[in-house]
Amino acid sequence: MSPTDPRYPSSRNREQRVRDYDMIVCGASGFVGSLVAKHLSDAAPEGTRIALAGRSQSKLVAVRSTLGVTAADWPILVAEADDSVALDALAAKAHVVLTTVGPYAKYGKALAHACATAGTDYVDLTGEVLFARESADENHELARSTGARIVHSCGFDSIPSDIGVYALYEKVSADGAGELTDTTYVLTSMRGGMSGGTIDSFRTQIDDMAGDEKARSVVLSPYSLSPDRSIEPDLGRQNDAPIVKGASIHPSLKGYKAPFIMAPYNSRVVRRSNSLLGYAYGKTFKYSEVMSVGSSPLSPIVAGGIAAGLRAVFAGLAFKPTRFVLDKLLPKPGQGPSERSQRKGHFTVDIYTTTTTGEHYVSRFKMKGDPGYKATAVMLGESALALALNRDELPGIGGGVLTPATGIGDALITRLRAAGVEVSARKV
C-alpha cells in the first residue's frame, strides 16, 4: 500500500494516548544532549511536560541545574541504553522521545523499537546507514500499525538536505513547473565542524562493514534506505559526492565544487523521502551533494585534494595503525567547542534543481550556530516540539520509519523559521 493511499494508517488520536510527558530527552547529560535540553528550556512553550533521561542521575541533575527556573521541576529518569525493559517503560511514558545517545548501531536499536511498539514518536541524530536500514526493516510496519513516527537524522544530518529538497519541491509544485530532475546540494559556506559523536558513528559503521560483504553492499547502494529498491527507477550511476564544475549545476556558480563528507548518507535519506511520497519529486529525480571551495583557478586542485583527503580519512579509520593516530586527532564523543565558538558558527546550504519543464530553482537553508552542535541542537529540539505540539500540521502519511520531510514536513519548517532559520525557495 502506498503512503499516499487514503487507506494508509494515520497516527492514533493524541488525546486517546494518556502519557506522563510530552517529551523525554535521552542522553541529556552528554554534550549535545545538554545543548538540546538548553534549547528546549528556552524555546518550549510554558506547560510543555519535559523529562530528562540518561544513565546517571547525578549528571542529569547537574545539567538540569544549568537550565534555569523553566526546567527546575523537569523529572529525572534513569535508564541504561541496553535495558530493554526500562526503555519499554520509558517509551510508554511520553508522546515523543528524543535521543542523542549514539553510535545508534550500538545504543539506539532497543529505544527505537520500544517507541515503535508503544506508538511513541521518536527523533534522533543518526548518520549511520546500517542502523537506519535495520530500523526501517524492523520497525516500519510496526510503527505504521501503532501510529508512531520514527524519524531518524534530525540534525545537520540530514535536515538541511531533506527539508531543503522538500521546500524546493513545494515551490516547484506550487508554480506548476513540473518535477525535479538533476538536483544538487551545495554547502555554500560553513563555520564549525562535525561533532565527536558523528566521528564515532563513522568508526562504528566502518567496524560493522569490516569482513561483512552484505553490510558493505548496503552502505554503498544509493538506494540503501529506500522502502523497496525493486521499484526505484533505473537512473544509472548515482554519484552522491562528485567533483563538479559549478556551472554544470547552475550558470551562476563559479569554480569547482568538492565532495561533501555526509553526502553518502544524506542522499539516501532524500531518496527515501521521494519514495515514501510516491515519487512526488519525480521519477527522474537525481540528487548529489558538494561543497564550495571558492572560485579561483585553483578550485579544481582544492576540490581534488579534499576528495583525496576524505578517502584517506576513511581508509585511515579502517586501518588499525593509522586509526590510532586519527583517534588522537579527531574530536571524541562528549567533547565540543566553547559556547563562544558555537555562537560564531554558521552554515548556508543552497540546493539547485532543473525541472522537467526546463526551469531552474534553488532553495536555501541558512542557520546560525556551529552545525554539529548548537545548530543541530536547535534542529533536533524543534523536530521533537513539532511532533509533540503541532500534530494538526504534520504530513498525513501516518506512522512508520520516516524522514524529516515525510514525518514532520511543513510543521518543522514553520518552527525552524520561527527560530530564525532561513528556509526558502525561488526560481532562478
Side-chain angles (χ1 to χ4, degrees), residues 60-395:
L60 291 167
V61 170
V63 168
R64 185 179 63 182
S65 70
T66 68
L67 303 179
V69 65
T70 302
D73 295 326
W74 285 2
I76 300 297
L77 307 175
V78 177
E80 294 283 349
D82 59 354
D83 186 343
S84 60
V85 174
L87 296 179
D88 287 345
L90 183 147
K93 292 177 182 293
H95 290 308
V96 181
V97 168
L98 176 163
T99 177
T100 63
V101 183
Y104 292 92
K106 287 184 178 179
Y107 305 119
K109 296 177 184 178
L111 182 55
H113 186 67
C115 289
T117 301
T120 299
D121 295 344
Y122 163 104
V123 293
D124 68 22
L125 294 174
T126 191
E128 303 164 42
V129 172
L130 293 174
F131 166 75
R133 179 68 265 166
E134 185 171 341
S135 177
D137 291 341
E138 182 175 349
N139 299 319
H140 185 64
E141 293 303 322
L142 174 62
R144 285 179 64 187
S145 70
T146 64
R149 293 173 186 249
I150 309 299
V151 188
H152 299 304
S153 314
C154 291
F156 188 51
D157 317 315
S158 302
I159 280 180
S161 308
D162 201 41
I163 291 298
V165 173
Y166 181 71
L168 196 60
Y169 151 71
E170 288 197 309
K171 176 60 175 172
V172 169
S173 180
D175 287 356
E179 298 178 337
L180 313 184
T181 61
D182 291 342
T183 303
T184 306
Y185 163 120
V186 180
L187 182 60
T188 302
S189 67
M190 182 177 77
R191 180 172 181 172
M194 289 191 303
S195 70
T198 298
I199 298 297
D200 205 30
S201 292
F202 284 147
R203 293 186 186 98
T204 299
Q205 185 155 277
I206 288 170
D207 290 344
D208 289 342
M209 290 169 60
D212 189 334
E213 191 58 38
K214 182 177 179 181
R216 180 178 171 80
S217 67
V218 169
V219 170
L220 296 180
S221 168
Y223 294 105
S224 55
L225 298 185
S226 296
D228 186 349
R229 176 65 183 90
S230 67
I231 64 172
E232 290 287 351
D234 184 5
L235 300 176
R237 183 170 179 263
Q238 295 269 359
N239 193 350
D240 298 316
I243 299 173
V244 296
K245 192 172 184 179
S248 69
I249 299 170
H250 188 267
S252 66
L253 298 183
K254 309 300 182 184
Y256 279 74
K257 310 304 172 187
F260 177 50
I261 189 170
M262 287 309 301
Y265 183 76
N266 293 336
S267 61
R268 286 148 177 77
V269 172
V270 171
R271 291 182 192 119
R272 181 174 178 86
S273 291
N274 190 32
S275 181
L276 287 171
L277 292 170
Y279 301 96
Y281 298 165
K283 275 283 190 177
T284 58
F285 170 75
K286 295 180 73 173
Y287 181 75
S288 60
E289 295 192 349
V290 295
M291 58 186 289
S292 177
V293 294
S295 57
S296 78
L298 295 178
S299 65
I301 298 173
V302 175
I306 289 174
L310 292 177
R311 289 193 295 270
V313 168
F314 283 109
L317 288 173
F319 185 54
K320 285 186 178 181
T322 50
R323 179 168 179 163
F324 176 80
V325 175
L326 288 170
D327 283 347
K328 296 290 185 182
L329 300 174
L330 295 171
K332 295 176 175 58
Q335 297 179 344
S338 67
E339 171 61 25
R340 182 172 181 271
S341 295
Q342 291 181 53
R343 287 198 310 271
K344 285 181 171 291
H346 61 82
F347 69 90
T348 300
V349 170
D350 293 312
I351 304 178
Y352 294 84
T353 195
T354 302
T355 72
T356 50
T357 62
E359 305 289 349
H360 297 279
Y361 282 77
V362 62
S363 67
R364 169 162 286 189
F365 195 108
K366 182 177 182 180
M367 192 170 183
K368 295 179 180 179
D370 185 288
Y373 294 97
K374 194 174 186 67
T376 278
V378 173
M379 287 184 275
L380 182 62
E382 293 300 329
S383 296
L385 287 170
L387 288 169
L389 305 178
N390 302 102
R391 302 296 299 176
D392 293 342
E393 302 168 42
L394 296 176

